[in-house]
Amino acid sequence: MFVGKPESVKTQAIIYQPEQETINQYIYNMKQKNNGIRTRKIIRSILMAFILAWGFQTPTHAKVDPNFYIFLCFGQSNMEGAARPEAQDMVSPGPRFLLMPAVDDPQRGRKMGEWCEALPPLCRPNNGLTPADYFGRTMIASLPKEIKVGVIHVAIGGIKIEGFMPDEISNYVKTAPGWMKGMLEAYGNNPYQRLVDLAKKAQKDGVIKGVLMHQGESNTGDKEWANKVQKVYDQLLGDLQLKPEEVPLLAGEVVQANGQGQCIAMNKQIDELPKTLHTAQVISSEGCTNGPDRLHFDAAGYRELGCRYGEKMAQLLGYEPVRPVMETHQAIEVPADAFIAETTVPGNEFPKIDKQRRAYFRIVAPEAKKVVLDICNKKYDMQPDGKGAWMAVTDPLVVGFHYYFMNIGGVNFIDPSTETFFGCNREAGGIEIPEGDEGNYYRPQVNVPHGQVRSIYYWSEQKKEWRHAMVYTPAEYELKKFQKKRYPVLYLQHGMGEDETGWSKQGHMQHIMDNAIANGEAVPMIVVMESGDIKAPFNFAGGGSNRQGFSDYGASFYPVLINDLIPYIDANFRTKTDRDNRAMAGLSWGGHQTFDVVLNHMNKFSYMGAFSGAIFGLDVKTAYNGIFTRPEEFNKQIHYLFLSCGSEENFGTEALVKNLRDAGIKTDYYVSEGTHHEWLTWRRCFRQFIPHLFKK
């Protein structure tokens, strides 16, 4: 986020003086020609003319804000940042801590040389957490509120101190290893000059108060290291016209790793730096945690080291050091009455649901910068807990089943703590918000015989491929006394973007059937569920018409159903094979397919239903060879037509029912109160539909 110059920056007129050398030369020439009072009067007049002439030239210039403290940061990999920021590091420290980027970062909208919010990465786009991050946070916690802090950050992993020496950099670039060349190029092959150029620009806005350095690993054992550091420091202060006593150098020790640090020997040289450079202050790394390489600090180590840099600088400026608050987000409290959702993978504590039907989600993603929960057409920013995890709580959700995703960096992914369900044209996370006892009809019940849902594969001659289907058989199908009994068949289709598992996983079709059969509400039947070639989304931009009877979407399934699937089911299950014992129904686009199949093959089916059916543009006068204009023929062949929808959706079902009834077509109509285009609607619709099947 671009911040711009500090708010206190104002403008004022600056009077420029004449070039002294030019005036002196003129005076000297005049003295050679004239002597005495006359000469002095002339000289005085000329001087006044110069002053007046130059005095009218008053360009404006930004006034330096004395309350804007700027710090220059340079070094190698530990100043560059070798640890991924964690959740707490990505919480904005606010407008008092700013960064002047040393390179462009288009992804974050940062431009070199323009002040912006100081959030990781401070160095270059692909770097990590640095000591400067928590140096700045400590400074704004310690200093008065009117003081802002800015950092300029130039660092290159593996660079020797020679890489910052103006008289050495040219040769250094030529001999630098290949992996370093890109980093050097990012700074125009002169990191020292980039630091100076930006520092000069920053001096127009604020006051440089110090220099932070973390370097030395690549110079371990170099006896001249301290002298080289002094050369860099002296050159820097000279180029920026700064006084050493006003701009101390803070140098951090390298990783100690309990005495096992890869470059720990360098700490002796760092500790002795003040003997060479009297304005240097050494920042101890004792106890700062590190990564497995024993060369770089980990995130916690950078936080601690950065705080120590900040505490020392605050002391040097005359302020009492204050540690920054690491966690600024209020923790999400989960009430005691919350329970683990039935769709949660065993062994996980989340997702949970409370008595107000609010859902609680948690995911561990320590390297994420932002995590979003997407559920029920609303997105929630998940909150970091400061320990690498993110949490969110939703508004109260309606009862029933809901798909949901989490999102990092614009990419949707499935919560690893939840069961997966095929929906939204892909595997998705899902959560069940339970109803009360009114939902028992779709739950397995004690003392109710349970049928089976089988996974089958069959060969499609139409498409020359193996296909998959799910088949429900009632509980009695396996009993010995029913071994000769044959059963009617319902072909049941899901909606767009779902698959053949939807009715049994999301819809609990088998439990609805078991309970209805046990209660005498439905006759025992076989239910067949196939993908219907509608797992992929409909291409509304180029997929042709979606009017009823004219859409190609899912139409490839029709010959498969008629010529492959029905014959396979009749050959491998004990079915009744006549049209009076065959039905078809579907939800959403499955309802669309039901109309297309049944009304073009009335010799095969005698029952049909559509739940929230996607039946668009149906003209009752012309559709399906005008069958709706022949109500007596239709009503005789179709024993039962059922249309239904949720009260909160708008699929035009009510208008369709009216048109059909006005045409004399017998149509049963059901509305699920309070539900949308969702599985709870379709569970209720299915329950209302099946008692009417195969009872003529």
Side-chain angles (χ1 to χ4, degrees):
M1 178 182 70
F2 176 69
V3 177
K5 294 183 178 180
E7 294 177 1
S8 59
V9 171
K10 297 179 181 178
T11 58
Q12 69 171 3
I14 304 295
I15 298 177
Y16 290 86
Q17 301 301 321
E19 294 289 342
Q20 191 65 39
E21 184 177 353
T22 303
I23 295 173
N24 289 341
Q25 184 63 46
Y26 188 86
I27 292 172
Y28 174 82
N29 292 336
M30 290 297 296
K31 283 183 176 180
Q32 300 304 310
K33 297 179 180 179
N34 301 287
N35 294 307
I37 296 174
R38 183 172 178 273
T39 300
R40 287 195 294 273
K41 287 182 178 179
I42 293 172
I43 293 170
R44 189 179 300 113
S45 298
I46 293 171
L47 281 172
M48 183 61 68
F50 266 107
I51 292 171
L52 289 173
W54 281 88
F56 281 109
Q57 300 180 34
T58 57
T60 59
H61 188 281
K63 181 180 179 181
V64 172
D65 182 357
N67 288 327
F68 186 28
Y69 292 1
I70 298 166
F71 300 88
L72 311 181
C73 309
F74 77 96
Q76 57 184 104
S77 56
N78 273 314
M79 181 58 80
E80 186 183 56
R84 291 285 185 183
E86 296 177 348
Q88 67 200 72
D89 309 320
M90 301 310 300
V91 177
S92 173
R96 290 180 58 209
F97 182 26
L98 305 177
L99 166 72
M100 179 180 279
V103 297
D104 290 338
D105 187 350
Q107 180 181 351
R108 296 173 179 84
R110 295 175 177 178
K111 293 184 178 180
M112 181 179 68
E114 295 184 359
W115 293 110
C116 65
E117 184 179 26
L119 273 176
L122 301 184
C123 193
R124 296 189 307 280
N126 295 320
N127 296 138
L129 194 65
T130 80
D133 283 285
Y134 278 81
F135 163 80
R137 293 171 189 250
T138 302
M139 290 293 288
I140 62 174
S142 304
L143 274 54
K145 292 183 178 180
E146 64 269 18
I147 296 178
K148 299 181 180 69
V149 172
V151 294
I152 301 172
H153 203 283
V154 174
I156 295 177
I159 196 169
K160 291 185 176 182
I161 194 63
E162 288 83 352
F164 290 98
M165 299 174 68
D167 56 347
E168 296 281 349
I169 184 62
S170 178
N171 289 331
Y172 190 85
V173 170
K174 293 178 182 178
T175 60
W179 53 264
M180 188 185 291
K181 291 188 180 297
M183 294 183 280
L184 287 165
E185 289 173 0
Y187 299 118
N189 284 321
N190 196 330
Y192 172 83
Q193 193 60 48
R194 179 65 55 86
L195 185 64
V196 169
D197 290 344
L198 294 179
K200 287 181 177 180
K201 184 174 184 180
Q203 283 180 306
K204 298 176 182 179
D205 300 325
V207 182
I208 295 176
K209 290 286 188 177
V211 179
L212 278 61
M213 181 187 75
H214 198 285
Q215 198 281 332
E217 292 94 336
S218 295
N219 288 86
T220 302
D222 181 356
K223 295 180 180 179
E224 293 299 313
W225 178 79
N227 292 326
K228 294 174 181 176
V229 171
Q230 181 167 16
K231 286 183 180 180
V232 174
Y233 175 76
D234 290 346
Q235 181 78 42
L236 186 62
L237 268 57
D239 287 342
L240 299 175
Q241 299 182 17
L242 299 171
K243 298 178 180 179
E245 60 271 19
E246 295 178 356
V247 186
L249 172 75
L250 275 58
E253 291 182 335
V254 301
V255 166
Q256 296 194 26
N258 296 319
Q260 300 298 313
Q262 293 279 9
C263 300
I264 194 171
M266 187 62 192
N267 280 342
K268 187 176 189 302
Q269 293 174 267
I270 295 173
D271 293 343
E272 294 179 352
L273 180 62
K275 294 180 180 180
T276 302
L277 184 59
H278 73 279
T279 59
Q281 298 284 335
V282 176
I283 308 302
S284 172
S285 66
E286 183 177 0
C288 293
T289 53
N290 55 273
D293 61 3
R294 293 181 286 115
L295 182 64
H296 299 102
F297 299 98
D298 60 13
Y302 284 118
R303 284 192 285 268
E304 178 60 30
L305 189 64
C307 286
R308 293 178 186 180
Y309 271 96
E311 289 169 337
K312 174 57 69 175
M313 185 59 73
Q315 289 175 340
L316 294 174
L317 293 172
Y319 298 100
E320 186 71 25
V322 177
R323 287 268 174 141
V325 177
M326 299 294 187
E327 300 177 37
T328 61
H329 281 293
Q330 185 176 358
I332 293 176
E333 296 184 4
V334 182
D337 64 11
F339 55 91
I340 296 174
E342 66 180 74
T343 41
T344 299
V345 173
N348 292 278
E349 294 186 5
F350 293 90
K352 285 185 173 179
I353 306 164
D354 67 17
K355 289 185 177 179
Q356 281 70 48
R357 302 196 311 276
R358 294 175 299 189
Y360 298 80
F361 299 86
R362 181 179 185 271
I363 186 169
V364 177
E367 296 184 6
K369 298 174 182 177
K370 183 178 182 180
V371 185
V372 176
L373 171 72
D374 187 345
I375 185 170
C376 294
N377 297 316
K378 185 170 182 178
K379 295 181 179 180
Y380 300 83
D381 288 334
M382 300 187 75
Q383 304 299 321
D385 68 355
K387 301 176 183 178
W390 299 72
M391 289 192 67
V393 57
T394 69
D395 297 333
L397 302 175
V398 297
V399 295
F401 176 86
H402 306 290
Y403 297 113
Y404 76 94
F405 292 96
M406 292 178 177
N407 185 293
I408 294 178
V411 178
N412 282 340
F413 65 93
I414 303 170
D415 179 0
S417 298
T418 189
E419 298 284 357
T420 59
F421 307 83
F422 195 91
C424 310
N425 311 112
R426 54 169 290 184
E427 291 291 342
I431 187 170
E432 183 78 32
I433 307 299
E435 288 187 281
D437 290 342
E438 67 272 21
N440 286 341
Y441 72 92
Y442 59 78
R443 301 185 181 111
Q445 301 296 315
V446 178
N447 300 323
V448 168
H450 302 296
Q452 297 182 12
V453 178
R454 311 176 188 216
S455 173
I456 66 157
Y457 288 86
Y458 69 99
W459 175 256
S460 169
E461 191 63 30
Q462 293 291 317
K463 300 194 74 174
K464 306 297 182 184
E465 65 183 14
W466 287 99
R467 296 178 66 97
H468 182 235
M470 309 297 291
V471 180
Y472 166 83
T473 54
E476 68 177 45
Y477 189 87
E478 302 301 320
L479 298 180
K480 189 174 182 179
K481 66 178 181 179
F482 294 107
Q483 286 299 301
K484 294 184 179 182
K485 182 177 178 179
R486 292 189 172 271
Y487 295 85
V489 184
L490 165 64
Y491 288 84
L492 183 63
Q493 292 304 115
H494 56 85
M496 181 188 299
E498 293 166 332
D499 74 356
E500 62 273 19
T501 65
W503 268 110
S504 56
K505 287 195 71 174
Q506 294 97 292
H508 302 315
M509 172 280 309
Q510 65 275 31
H511 304 317
I512 300 174
M513 286 298 312
D514 290 341
N515 295 330
I517 292 171
N519 294 331
E521 298 172 358
V523 302
M525 67 185 78
I526 294 172
V527 182
V528 180
M529 297 150 282
E530 223 265 20
S531 74
D533 294 342
I534 57 172
K535 293 172 71 172
F538 178 82
N539 182 2
F540 285 95
S545 171
N546 66 349
R547 287 192 301 132
Q548 189 62 39
F550 291 90
S551 174
D552 290 333
Y553 179 64
S556 58
F557 172 61
Y558 304 162
V560 173
L561 172 64
I562 298 300
N563 300 312
D564 296 319
L565 182 56
I566 290 177
Y568 176 88
I569 295 299
D570 287 344
N572 290 274
F573 292 86
R574 302 195 307 274
T575 64
K576 294 181 178 180
T577 60
D578 60 301
R579 65 177 301 277
D580 288 331
N581 287 286
R582 192 178 294 125
M584 186 173 181
L587 67 89
S588 193
W589 202 268
H592 181 117
Q593 291 184 307
T594 295
F595 266 57
D596 281 0
V597 171
V598 173
L599 298 178
N600 283 309
H601 301 89
M602 294 178 68
N603 62 323
K604 299 284 188 183
F605 300 89
S606 60
Y607 297 84
M608 59 186 295
F611 321 143
S612 309
I615 304 167
F616 308 123
L618 187 144
D619 184 345
V620 295
K621 296 180 180 179
T622 61
Y624 306 112
N625 298 316
I627 185 61
F628 297 124
T629 63
R630 305 188 298 275
E632 290 186 5
E633 178 185 345
F634 180 92
N635 294 335
K636 181 178 180 180
Q637 294 193 66
I638 300 300
H639 303 324
Y640 184 68
L641 169 60
F642 177 84
L643 297 177
S644 59
C645 62
S647 64
E648 306 307 304
E649 58 182 327
N650 184 21
F651 256 49
T653 306
E654 184 176 4
L656 175 61
V657 170
K658 183 179 185 302
N659 289 339
L660 291 173
R661 286 177 173 174
D662 288 347
I665 304 299
K666 293 181 180 179
T667 309
D668 201 358
Y669 179 46
Y670 166 76
V671 176
S672 169
E673 289 298 329
T675 59
H676 296 73
H677 202 68
E678 58 183 286
W679 276 105
L680 186 55
T681 295
W682 306 322
R683 292 173 188 170
R684 292 176 177 176
C685 294
F686 182 71
R687 183 192 187 192
Q688 296 295 321
F689 176 60
I690 56 176
H692 301 277
L693 300 182
F694 313 122
K695 290 186 175 180
K696 186 173 177 63

